[in-house]
Amino acid sequence: MNSAGNAAGMCRVVVVALAFPAALAAGIALTGCSEVSNNPHPLGSEKTNTMFVPFRERSPRYLDPTSSYSSDETPFTYQVYEPLYGYHYLKRPYQLVGRAAEEIARPLYLDRDGKELAGDAPGEQVAETQFVIKIKPGIKYAPHPAFARDGRGNYLYHAMKREDVADKHRIADFKETGTRELTADDYVYSIRRLATPRVKSPSFSTMSDYIVGLKEYGSRIIEADKALRRGLAPTDRDLPFLDFRQYSFAGAEALDQHTLRIRVKGKYPQFKYWLTMTFFAPIPWEAEKFYAQPGMAQNNLTLNYWPVGTGPFMLTEYVENRRHVLERNPNFRGEPYPCDGEPGDREKGYLDDCGKMIPFIDKVVFDIEKEGVPLQAKFLQGYYDSPAIERLDYGTGIIVAMGDDKKKEKEYTEKGVKLPTTIEANNWYIGFNWLDPVVGNGDTPAQSERNRKLRQALSIAIDWEEHIAIFERGQGVAAQGPLPPSLFGYREDGPSAFNPVVYRKGADGKPVRRPIGEAKQLLAEAGYADGRDERTGKPLVLNFDYQSAATPGTKALLDWYTKQFAKIGVQLEVRATDYNRFQDKMSKGSVQIFFWGWLADYPDAENFLFMLYGPNSKAKTGGNGENNTNYQNPEFDKLYERMKFLEDGPEKQKLIDRMIEIVQTDAVWSFGYFPTSAAAYHQWVSNGKPTQIIRNHIGYLRLDPALRAHKLAEWNRPVWWPIPLLALVLFAAIVPAWFTWRRRERETAARTLAREGAAA
């Protein structure tokens, strides 16, 4: 019989051993076999509007929006909470839309005297930017005991004692719940709470540099917290309520019930992307008050386990390292599914649900699967609707497996597994350290030109198309510059899509890598004909620092790099090292050539181009900057300083184009590749457009439970034929034994009678 999964919901098989074969066969009683026999989920759950997905390693650690940042937490936080902004689900390049906000607010720019400036005012003239954001009225929090009141309006659960909480371990253990409307004050509270010393917020250090007064506010809150802790042991988990309503600062204010104002230092257009993150999700003071009561923390009744939000789902079950359940928030107002997207979306079915209210799914069940083999098996059997709802590497892995194994390709194809792909805001490249005398900038114009030609020659020689075919199994595209697709600034008819230094246009108009002869010619012009320094006659040996453990796969990759350089006669000395040592060398600028990658924090060209901005030099900032090559180009820096202050538009596009042309000519990177990402869904899941930027995607997915139930029954038919065979084997073993036993019984009885007769 098929044995995958546990015994929940299995058909019961009762075998009654009888004396005759016919009776034995008749004694096989099968009950409940209209359901799938080996479903690891409750009986009949495949017919409900419930999505089943696994999680791998452990339960999410931080569901508190102030501290949550890990990708394994996002399937929960972005479904429960509503930051002010989000992204249009289908459009690429990514487009901001309001979530709790009515619309994307137009920033108000002020000079040092508080006078309003034009929207295109130069960044150096802007002393302050104000974001005045209107919040949609009528938004309600999901039901929660923190809001429950009695008939007199008093909170039911805000004055509990330790003994009242002793038997409470889940939110469902509190009988009464309530709700209230979302207000601007809830966002003010969450911004103030970024400064709390009680949980660590990854965003505080950055935001305190931008939000007016937040850094000083943080110092005040530390003192306020110390006063509240006075007399408590350092390990005491029952801390008095730190009520941020009592501590204000000028950077975040509620102008009225539905209007929020945030004040930002200078001009910082990228701030709007921060407003899509859960750091800026609303936190009701009632939830903090509720969870601050004695005994709550000991019973894991905190925001880290039981979030309180206004999003389409609410967390209703949390069994650590076993199972978590999101259910539809009955108070969610609903949002219309988009009716437009990018070219090709209609053909892919992404617009079929135009105008319908999301979320489409009633419940999402997350079950732990620590091992990859059973996870994959259950996905193929249909028991998981997706093998990873928050990651895109599983889909890529399946595509690679299909290319390697015709049997797997046939199985995935026959089962109609959907594997939509995308090129995400992620790049990998080889960098040349600008501080190095051989591959860097050089001390004189002649040396700079010599080194530039060397970098250009190496860029042509390193065949990233071959790398993608071998090591990425075809899942990626060679990069033409630092800016990936899906971001504003990348355009197919611009320099971001064509690097003339490394490529030339083919007959079909597509980029074709320049021949190795051109690389050798550039190398000779650089003074290294046939790989030898013309001044010394010695071979040119370059050092390649690589952070990795020694494995067979790594050795093959490093051998490949060595062969790329050898194509033009350059020797490569690989210096593999551990991560900490590598980071130390990068911080000091003591590497020569290295491999690196970047995944965007937000979808703006600035988030990639800042890695080439001179003042961000890693070596010159003590390791704090993200300019790993320590690249310095005055023209690039001036353009960047203008570009970073601009909203998306023609002027910004023009600057981005020029900046890309500069770094292509300088060949400060061998631009590497943009990896392909792929989601994985069964055929009964719709609207699964792959993305790593949009995290509230579960609400857009739609299930066809009837199709799922049909396919599960088809794919998991129980195999009954062994049972009659086992019955016959059992019969063949039992009957002779029974006859032997009967014969011995009769013989024993006869001997007994004979002895008794003789005695008589």
Side-chain angles (χ1 to χ4, degrees):
M1 294 177 62
N2 196 327
S3 60
N6 60 35
M10 289 184 65
C11 294
R12 303 301 178 187
V13 180
V14 182
V15 180
V16 182
L18 300 175
F20 301 99
L24 182 61
I28 299 174
L30 306 178
T31 63
C33 291
S34 60
E35 305 292 346
V36 177
S37 64
N38 60 339
N39 194 338
H41 308 299
L43 192 67
S45 60
E46 71 275 10
K47 299 177 182 177
T48 66
N49 191 23
T50 302
M51 172 169 272
F52 296 99
V53 292
F55 67 98
R56 286 295 301 271
E57 297 178 0
R58 58 172 175 77
S59 291
R61 291 183 61 191
Y62 303 111
L63 299 184
D64 184 327
T66 299
S67 55
S68 179
Y69 196 48
S70 176
S71 61
D72 65 339
E73 295 155 3
T74 58
F76 305 95
T77 54
Y78 280 84
Q79 322 314 315
V80 171
Y81 294 112
E82 284 189 291
L84 291 158
Y85 296 167
Y87 296 100
H88 191 288
Y89 182 58
L90 299 178
K91 288 186 177 180
R92 306 290 186 272
Y94 290 99
Q95 178 179 310
L96 284 172
V97 296
R99 282 195 73 182
E102 289 186 345
E103 60 185 2
I104 304 303
R106 183 183 68 83
L108 176 66
Y109 301 121
L110 304 175
D111 65 14
R112 283 180 171 77
D113 298 324
K115 295 180 180 179
E116 185 175 350
L117 298 169
D120 59 353
E124 58 272 14
Q125 294 182 13
V126 178
E128 181 178 307
T129 303
Q130 294 187 2
F131 295 85
V132 179
I133 302 169
K134 289 286 187 180
I135 296 167
K136 297 173 183 175
I139 296 176
K140 294 289 185 71
Y141 281 97
H144 194 277
F147 303 116
R149 297 174 182 253
D150 61 20
R152 298 178 180 178
N154 299 314
Y155 288 101
L156 288 173
Y157 301 117
H158 280 204
M160 293 186 292
K161 299 178 181 178
R162 185 180 298 276
E163 53 267 29
D164 298 327
V165 179
D167 62 341
K168 306 293 194 298
H169 298 275
R170 305 172 304 158
I171 291 302
D173 292 335
F174 297 88
K175 184 178 178 181
E176 302 296 331
T177 62
T179 187
R180 71 162 170 82
E181 185 177 3
L182 172 71
T183 69
D185 283 308
D186 298 327
Y187 287 98
V188 171
Y189 194 95
S190 71
I191 295 170
R192 292 177 182 176
R193 193 171 179 266
L194 293 176
T196 180
R198 296 188 177 184
V199 297
K200 181 175 177 57
S201 176
S203 69
F204 176 73
S205 61
T206 301
M207 289 298 97
S208 63
D209 288 337
Y210 285 105
I211 297 178
V212 172
L214 182 58
K215 183 175 291 187
E216 296 77 12
Y217 182 73
S219 300
R220 285 174 51 205
I221 293 300
I222 288 174
E223 294 305 314
D225 182 58
K226 286 180 180 178
L228 290 172
R229 290 173 182 260
R230 196 164 292 129
L232 298 177
T235 57
D236 199 330
R237 297 182 66 186
D238 287 334
L239 302 178
F241 176 38
L242 177 55
D243 188 354
F244 286 91
R245 293 176 299 168
Q246 308 303 318
Y247 310 96
S248 63
F249 80 106
E253 300 172 295
L255 302 183
D256 58 45
Q257 187 176 10
H258 295 109
T259 308
L260 169 71
R261 180 172 65 190
I262 304 175
R263 298 168 60 192
V264 174
K265 300 174 186 176
K267 190 173 187 180
Y268 182 35
Q270 290 74 32
F271 181 76
K272 59 182 178 289
Y273 297 113
W274 284 92
L275 300 182
T276 69
M277 302 179 188
T278 52
F279 304 127
F280 290 90
I283 297 178
W285 71 266
E286 295 94 333
E288 280 251 277
K289 171 68 174 174
F290 174 78
Y291 287 130
Q293 297 176 92
M296 285 286 199
Q298 286 83 348
N299 288 1
N300 290 336
L301 290 167
T302 69
L303 282 173
N304 274 333
Y305 293 85
W306 301 101
V308 185
T310 63
F313 294 97
M314 57 184 186
L315 188 66
T316 58
E317 187 174 344
Y318 189 111
V319 183
E320 191 160 13
N321 297 329
R322 284 184 57 192
R323 175 183 169 95
H324 311 299
V325 177
L326 291 171
E327 294 189 54
R328 182 190 292 267
N329 172 7
N331 296 334
F332 187 66
R333 62 205 175 276
E335 291 284 354
Y337 185 89
C339 292
D340 55 350
E342 64 177 331
D345 279 355
R346 185 173 302 280
E347 292 76 9
K348 295 173 183 176
Y350 291 142
L351 298 179
D352 291 352
D353 290 314
C354 162
K356 297 177 183 177
M357 288 294 178
I358 65 168
F360 298 125
I361 297 170
D362 293 333
K363 182 189 290 189
V364 188
V365 176
F366 299 81
D367 286 314
I368 194 164
E369 286 289 350
K370 294 184 178 181
E371 302 296 332
V373 172
L375 187 158
Q376 192 74 356
K378 290 179 185 179
F379 173 64
L380 282 172
Q381 289 174 282
Y383 298 133
Y384 288 128
D385 302 306
S386 171
I389 199 67
E390 83 286 4
R391 293 167 55 181
L392 297 180
D393 53 349
Y394 275 89
T396 308
I398 290 173
I399 292 172
V400 170
M402 291 172 65
D404 291 343
D405 190 327
K406 291 296 181 185
K407 183 178 179 181
K408 289 182 179 179
E409 181 182 16
K410 182 174 183 291
E411 182 176 19
Y412 284 112
T413 302
E414 288 180 346
K415 291 193 171 181
V417 174
K418 297 178 179 179
L419 298 166
T421 62
T422 186
I423 302 297
E424 269 293 355
N426 177 200
N427 70 350
W428 293 97
Y429 61 90
I430 282 179
F432 303 104
N433 184 8
W434 211 244
L435 303 178
D436 184 80
V438 178
V439 300
N441 185 40
D443 296 328
T444 65
Q447 185 65 44
S448 295
E449 182 63 19
R450 173 186 170 115
N451 292 2
R452 180 185 297 113
K453 289 185 176 181
L454 170 60
R455 295 190 302 271
Q456 291 176 346
L458 295 172
S459 296
I460 294 171
I462 303 171
D463 190 341
W464 289 108
E465 287 82 2
E466 184 177 276
H467 174 98
I468 293 165
I470 297 173
F471 299 103
E472 302 302 319
R473 314 299 276 277
Q475 301 307 303
V477 296
Q480 303 289 321
L483 191 62
S486 77
L487 272 63
F488 177 84
Y490 183 96
R491 55 190 183 91
E492 291 294 339
D493 59 346
S496 53
F498 179 66
N499 180 1
V501 173
V502 179
Y503 294 85
R504 58 188 181 189
K505 291 288 181 74
D508 57 357
K510 295 181 179 179
V512 177
R513 185 170 289 273
R514 291 184 178 275
I516 204 69
E518 293 190 25
K520 290 181 178 180
Q521 178 61 36
L522 284 167
L523 190 68
E525 292 174 9
Y528 301 104
D530 299 321
R532 289 186 175 274
D533 190 328
E534 64 182 11
R535 296 169 299 181
T536 66
K538 294 181 179 180
L540 176 60
V541 180
L542 300 177
N543 296 315
F544 181 55
D545 282 88
Y546 192 82
Q547 49 168 321
S548 176
T551 65
T554 301
K555 185 179 184 306
L557 178 60
L558 295 177
D559 286 346
W560 182 85
Y561 285 130
T562 302
K563 290 177 182 177
Q564 301 306 298
F565 284 69
K567 287 189 296 188
I568 56 174
V570 177
Q571 296 181 28
L572 190 67
E573 183 71 29
V574 175
R575 301 191 296 193
T577 185
D578 63 70
Y579 182 73
N580 291 334
R581 175 62 178 149
F582 178 81
Q583 288 280 35
D584 183 59
K585 292 171 74 174
M586 292 293 294
S587 296
K588 294 176 179 177
S590 59
V591 300
Q592 189 171 47
I593 303 173
F594 60 90
F595 181 75
W596 202 274
W598 182 258
L599 177 63
D601 295 310
Y602 45 83
D604 191 280
E606 180 267 349
N607 199 233
F608 282 88
L609 296 175
F610 87 125
M611 291 189 289
L612 295 161
Y613 178 52
N616 287 341
S617 164
K618 185 172 285 291
K620 294 183 179 181
T621 59
N624 295 320
E626 293 297 342
N627 179 352
N628 299 302
T629 57
N630 305 296
Y631 177 60
Q632 306 285 325
N633 183 298
E635 183 186 359
F636 181 94
D637 290 348
K638 288 180 181 178
L639 294 174
Y640 175 86
E641 288 163 1
R642 288 173 54 196
M643 182 276 302
K644 71 177 183 179
F645 290 128
L646 296 176
E647 299 290 346
D648 293 349
E651 184 181 358
K652 185 175 180 179
Q653 179 69 68
K654 184 179 179 180
L655 295 179
I656 291 171
D657 287 348
R658 177 59 189 149
M659 292 165 72
I660 291 174
E661 289 172 348
I662 291 170
V663 295
Q664 286 172 339
T665 301
D666 279 345
V668 64
W669 293 353
S670 175
F671 290 104
Y673 65 98
F674 304 125
T676 298
S677 297
Y681 299 101
H682 272 297
Q683 59 182 282
W684 51 80
V685 181
S686 299
N687 305 329
K689 187 168 185 175
T691 174
Q692 289 176 329
I693 294 292
I694 301 172
R695 295 294 185 171
N696 61 316
H697 59 296
I698 293 178
Y700 295 92
L701 302 178
R702 178 170 51 80
L703 290 174
D704 185 341
L707 176 59
R708 176 173 60 187
H710 172 74
K711 289 299 180 182
L712 260 65
E714 177 184 327
W715 297 344
N716 299 279
R717 288 173 180 156
V719 182
W720 301 115
W721 65 262
I723 293 179
L725 180 60
L726 290 172
L728 290 173
V729 172
L730 183 64
F731 177 79
I734 290 177
V735 170
W738 183 80
F739 278 113
T740 300
W741 174 78
R742 289 290 295 164
R743 186 175 66 253
R744 289 177 179 174
E745 287 292 305
R746 288 170 182 165
E747 290 174 352
T748 300
R751 285 195 297 270
T752 301
L753 288 174
R755 285 197 300 269
E756 289 176 351

